[in-house]
Amino acid sequence: MSEAPRAPGESRSRGPSHRRRPPGETPAYAALDLGTNNCRLLVATPTSGGFRVVEAYSRIVRLGEGLVASGRLSDAAMERSMAALKVCAEKIRRRRTVRVRAIATQACRMADNGQAFVDRVAEETGLRLQIITPREEAQLSVAGCLNLLDRSAEAALVVDVGGGSTELSWVDLKGEGLDTHPRQFAAWKLPIKAWVSIPIGVVTLAEKFPEEGPRDVWFRSMVDAVKERIADFPHAEALRPVFEAGRAQLVGTSGAITSLAGLHLDLPRYDRNRVDGLWMTRSECEAAANRLLALTTAERAQQPCIGPDRADLVLAGAAILQAVQELWPCDSVRVADRGLREGILMSLMSDQQPRKPRRRRRRGGAGRASTAQAAE
């Protein structure tokens, strides 16, 4: 039997002691996303309609902490991330996964020592991280949110708020590529009409705007800074009438946005089943942000759906969401506790041969221009 095609950076895993998978055991696939703020892993087995998650892991590592100022990944940030990656590597080995794809995003794209860190990860853990492009990051985020798209609408704007960057993808919900069989799925075939990636996420925005002075003024400064970066983007203007007519949908995928949703629901502890797929009106989003603005950082840390790891970042995420809502108004946003990892899993389990990526790479620091274009 011929080997299934692999995506760039994907590896075929071997189990502990190179043991063969027992006959009849369902093969497992692993998707790992090392972001600017989080390290996340999903291990899943394929089903007729998609996949079933058998292992999930998430840890806030703040890989991009201090990156805006120094242009480099700090030693402390790399050690935190390495510790989490070693846990992921062990989980992957224990599950005897047949295919693994591990990606790194904005922090490693920006950092002068990003590739050196990726090389070290391979040496110490066996994980082959691939630093993906903003374009592929946008595609995979949309792929992971497909089940949350309201097909009665005509278009959707998927907003993926990361730690170091934010990707916006405008999707034609009447276009081809949304209804393919899971085994024929290909992220690059999705009807994404335009996309933009800006080097602003919750970590970079919070570091650029330290919390000081009147909180409403501070928060407004963050909103305006984000709007300035995404306002002048002509490629998506063809879909503007659809949004103005109320025939479009907004989907938000982000730890900060899911934290806002948990706060809105007054959950005693975070519950993915109640948050993922939740519809929040724009006024409910603003009410949750205003509620947080009335709290100190220490008080935000005591909120069960926020905690100390997100206390200083959640309002930066709320500011990014509000900036998008002001520029591309929708009555409500659908909250997604899913995204890149789910998109990776769908691609891994597909029989579709991925397109050969463009061999272009640019390095840049915090001042790197936004990556933006209309989809081909």
Side-chain angles (χ1 to χ4, degrees):
M1 179 181 294
S2 61
E3 184 179 270
R6 305 181 195 178
E10 177 198 334
S11 61
R12 186 168 293 278
S13 175
R14 292 185 177 182
S17 303
H18 309 302
R19 289 178 295 173
R20 288 183 177 274
R21 179 172 301 279
E25 182 175 307
T26 304
Y29 297 75
L32 189 152
D33 168 24
L34 178 63
T36 303
N37 196 44
N38 290 276
C39 177
R40 294 174 172 172
L41 170 72
L42 277 185
V43 181
T45 56
T47 64
S48 59
F51 56 82
R52 181 178 70 89
V53 174
V54 297
E55 181 106 47
Y57 172 82
S58 178
R59 181 173 297 178
I60 293 179
V61 295
R62 298 204 181 203
L63 179 60
E65 186 174 57
L67 176 59
V68 171
S70 68
R72 297 179 60 82
L73 304 176
S74 71
D75 291 340
M78 288 189 288
E79 290 306 316
R80 289 193 299 267
S81 301
M82 187 65 74
L85 289 167
K86 287 179 178 178
V87 172
C88 292
E90 177 56 32
K91 290 180 180 294
I92 290 170
R93 281 191 290 268
R94 189 173 67 246
R95 289 288 180 178
R96 292 198 292 268
T97 54
V98 295
R99 295 174 79 178
V100 178
R101 192 176 186 200
I103 65 167
T105 56
Q106 183 67 7
C108 289
R109 281 196 295 258
M110 288 177 59
D112 292 338
N113 58 341
Q115 185 59 51
F117 177 64
V118 166
D119 295 341
R120 180 188 162 196
V121 169
E123 181 179 349
E124 294 188 20
T125 72
L127 293 170
R128 294 195 299 133
L129 286 168
Q130 181 204 7
I131 303 176
I132 64 171
T133 66
R135 177 179 185 139
E136 186 174 7
E137 186 172 356
Q139 290 172 337
L140 291 172
S141 295
V142 172
C145 295
L146 283 182
N147 289 343
L148 298 183
L149 298 180
D150 178 6
R151 301 302 297 279
S152 67
E154 294 183 21
L157 172 53
V158 178
V159 183
D160 179 10
V161 182
S165 67
T166 295
E167 282 70 45
L168 289 80
S169 303
W170 286 261
V171 185
D172 177 6
L173 295 181
K174 303 304 179 184
E176 298 181 357
L178 294 176
D179 296 318
T180 56
H181 186 276
R183 298 299 166 263
Q184 298 299 316
F185 172 80
W188 49 270
K189 290 183 178 180
L190 292 171
I192 300 173
K193 295 304 179 183
W195 64 274
V196 62
S197 177
I198 60 172
I200 296 176
V202 295
V203 174
T204 49
L205 189 62
E207 289 184 354
K208 184 177 181 180
F209 291 90
E211 192 170 343
E212 57 188 13
R215 287 187 191 142
D216 57 340
V217 176
W218 162 71
F219 183 76
R220 188 68 234 177
S221 298
M222 291 195 291
V223 173
D224 290 341
V226 176
K227 287 179 68 175
E228 184 178 353
R229 296 302 297 264
I230 62 177
D232 185 20
F233 181 59
H235 298 301
E237 286 301 314
L239 293 174
R240 176 75 63 182
V242 177
F243 282 79
E244 292 176 345
R247 301 194 302 272
Q249 174 194 7
L250 182 63
V251 177
T253 170
S254 156
I257 296 176
T258 56
S259 295
L260 278 180
L263 182 75
H264 164 68
L265 293 172
D266 283 319
L267 297 178
R269 64 183 61 84
Y270 185 78
D271 184 348
R272 183 185 186 275
N273 291 328
R274 295 193 59 187
V275 170
D276 185 49
L278 176 72
W279 289 94
M280 288 181 66
T281 66
R282 183 173 173 183
S283 61
E284 287 171 339
C285 294
E286 292 176 356
N290 289 334
R291 183 174 164 187
L292 288 174
L293 280 170
L295 304 177
T296 64
T297 304
E299 290 170 335
R300 293 197 293 270
Q302 294 173 3
Q303 294 295 315
C305 292
I306 298 175
D309 288 332
R310 294 192 190 277
D312 60 337
L313 303 177
V314 64
L315 278 167
I320 294 172
L321 175 61
Q322 183 166 321
V324 175
Q325 289 174 316
E326 290 182 6
L327 287 172
W328 291 87
C330 282
D331 292 336
S332 59
V333 57
R334 196 162 198 193
V335 180
D337 187 346
R338 59 180 73 198
L340 279 174
R341 294 174 302 167
E342 288 80 1
I344 293 170
L345 284 173
M346 291 172 66
S347 297
L348 281 178
M349 296 176 187
S350 171
D351 297 326
Q352 294 292 288
Q353 175 69 51
R355 291 191 303 186
K356 186 177 180 180
R358 296 174 182 175
R359 309 290 288 182
R360 183 181 68 177
R361 183 176 176 186
R362 294 186 302 171
R363 286 194 177 273
R368 182 176 62 84
S370 303
T371 303
Q373 68 178 64
E376 294 177 350

